[in-house]
Amino acid sequence: MTDSSNGSIDATHMFGDEPEMVHSSRSAISTGQLPDSDDVKTAVDETYEQFSSVDDGEVPDYIPALADADPDLFGICIVSTEGQSYSRGDAELLFTIQSISKAFVFALVREEVGHTKARELVGVNNTGLPFDSVMAIELNGGRTMNPLVNAGALATSALAPGETWEEKWDFILSGLSAFAGRDLEIDEDAFASERENNIRNQGIARLLQSYGHITLDPHEVTELYTRQCALLVTTEDLAVMGATLADGGRNPKTGEQVIGQGASRDALAVMAANGLYEASGEWLYEIGMPAKSGVSGGLVTIAPGKGGFASYSPRLDDAGNSVRGIKAARHLSNELGMNLFASGTVQD
């Protein structure tokens, strides 16, 4: 059925209100496991050595705080759902999480509002347009299409529970910290830099307000989103966050159930469809896992039931994705059997 207001599909009529979801039987959930520890360590070492010298791509200069990043930095890390960690390179170096925060804030908000409301209020479909597109809003009747582009991320942050801005921020900060398994802090210099250069996001927030899609003051929404992007993480933090989604919302390091299985599943679905922006289809075709990139050079990839892989390298392609990170993820997906769409009996 088509919604005549914007030409989009009415998903409620297609799928109903809530999916059937098994919560108690682990046998009903796709899991699998990573190969033996020695094989994972060998694959991580080989991946680092193979791609550490790749110099394609450019460090972004439209955010001053990111422009001075050393283009040769490179860190990779895998964390299994059992909490085992394998890393190489600059995996303990701090950098700002940027757009990767979108996926995890959506997971937290989805936990609060539920499956159907998240789809209705934020959307789950790919725009096919750049992450900061205004056209995508106008073409869809003022609606956001998914939480991983800027418009949808602003709408998602606005849905954080709380009566005040401070309560909403505390919810976002504590939730992202729970995903990482430690208290995260803001890079104040990066925040100030982005705050001075977020005119486009402020305009997007005002456009969403004009359509009645957000009720919080546009300036406050933009502040929430900008602060969450300026949180400092390491590659190892991102791998832990990914592994938390891989295990149905349970942090493998702390044992905390950060979100439920349903919210984790929905976040991974959105990441699979939209995590690499307009290159998301090609990403699935080549790599076959949910993922989310950030303009600082971070990339997190999830093998459901198995673990999370993260990388950091500041050189980006034209779509804003880490060049080395993509190559590393593709290699590890093939080496460790993490592609969701790979199946069948292995032939000798």
Side-chain angles (χ1 to χ4, degrees):
M1 179 173 293
T2 300
D3 181 345
S4 59
S5 64
N6 58 26
S8 63
I9 297 297
D10 186 340
T12 300
H13 285 83
M14 287 180 65
F15 303 112
D17 290 333
E18 294 286 349
E20 294 182 3
M21 180 67 183
V22 177
H23 293 280
S24 58
S25 175
R26 297 292 294 179
S27 64
I29 301 171
S30 176
T31 55
Q33 60 185 17
L34 291 171
D36 292 339
S37 295
D38 289 345
D39 292 335
V40 177
K41 183 180 184 303
T42 297
V44 168
D45 289 340
E46 290 177 348
T47 300
Y48 180 81
E49 296 297 336
Q50 182 171 348
F51 300 111
S52 60
S53 61
V54 171
D55 60 2
D56 297 338
E58 301 291 338
V59 176
D61 58 6
Y62 59 91
I63 299 176
L66 303 182
D68 294 332
D70 182 348
D72 293 326
L73 293 171
F74 185 38
I76 60 176
C77 180
I78 290 177
V79 172
S80 74
T81 53
E82 289 78 31
Q84 296 170 306
S85 181
Y86 314 84
S87 61
R88 276 295 304 274
D90 302 304
E92 296 183 359
L93 180 76
L94 290 167
F95 57 93
T96 52
I97 190 170
Q98 299 298 332
S99 292
I100 296 174
S101 66
K102 297 171 178 175
F104 295 94
V105 173
F106 172 74
L108 294 166
V109 169
R110 154 58 183 91
E111 177 76 359
E112 295 295 315
V113 304
H115 173 86
T116 301
K117 282 294 184 184
R119 186 184 66 211
E120 292 175 348
L121 296 174
V122 181
V124 296
N125 288 322
N126 198 300
T127 67
L129 295 167
F131 64 89
D132 59 351
S133 174
V134 174
M135 185 184 299
I137 304 171
E138 297 284 20
L139 289 176
N140 291 281
R143 284 180 51 83
T144 59
M145 292 300 290
N146 71 73
L148 304 188
V149 293
N150 288 13
L154 290 162
T156 302
S157 296
L159 289 171
E163 295 298 322
T164 66
W165 184 94
E166 289 77 14
E167 289 174 346
K168 290 177 178 291
W169 170 243
D170 286 345
F171 171 82
I172 291 172
L173 177 59
S174 62
L176 294 179
S177 295
F179 267 114
R182 68 178 187 87
D183 291 335
L184 300 181
E185 298 180 352
I186 288 180
D187 183 328
E188 295 293 350
D189 291 337
F191 172 64
S193 175
E194 293 188 57
R195 193 182 193 187
E196 293 175 359
N197 292 274
N198 63 5
I199 296 174
R200 189 175 183 86
N201 283 336
Q202 292 175 12
I204 291 173
R206 293 191 181 279
L207 181 60
L208 293 176
Q209 182 191 42
S210 74
Y211 277 107
H213 204 58
I214 61 173
T215 57
L216 194 66
D217 177 81
H219 175 73
E220 293 185 341
V221 173
T222 308
E223 285 283 292
L224 279 175
Y225 173 66
T226 306
R227 287 185 74 82
Q228 75 184 48
C229 288
L231 288 171
L232 287 165
V233 293
T234 66
T235 308
E236 292 179 352
D237 288 334
L238 289 183
V240 172
M241 296 172 80
T244 301
L245 288 180
D247 198 31
R250 185 192 68 88
N251 186 306
K253 294 291 189 179
T254 66
E256 179 182 356
Q257 191 72 38
V258 181
I259 57 173
Q261 292 176 4
S264 183
R265 174 208 61 208
D266 290 351
L268 290 176
V270 169
M271 292 171 74
N274 309 291
L276 275 288
Y277 305 125
E278 61 266 44
S280 295
E282 293 182 3
W283 169 272
L284 273 188
Y285 189 79
E286 297 292 341
I287 297 168
M289 288 188 286
K292 185 68 191 80
S293 62
V295 295
S296 60
L299 177 65
V300 61
T301 306
I302 295 97
K306 298 178 181 180
F309 164 67
S311 62
Y312 170 66
S313 177
R315 294 181 184 269
L316 309 183
D317 61 19
D318 291 340
N321 304 313
S322 172
V323 175
R324 288 180 185 169
I326 289 175
K327 292 180 181 295
R330 182 182 184 182
H331 182 73
L332 286 170
S333 174
N334 291 332
E335 289 295 310
L336 300 178
M338 296 192 290
N339 190 317
L340 290 174
F341 307 110
S343 60
T345 303
V346 176
Q347 302 295 322
D348 294 332

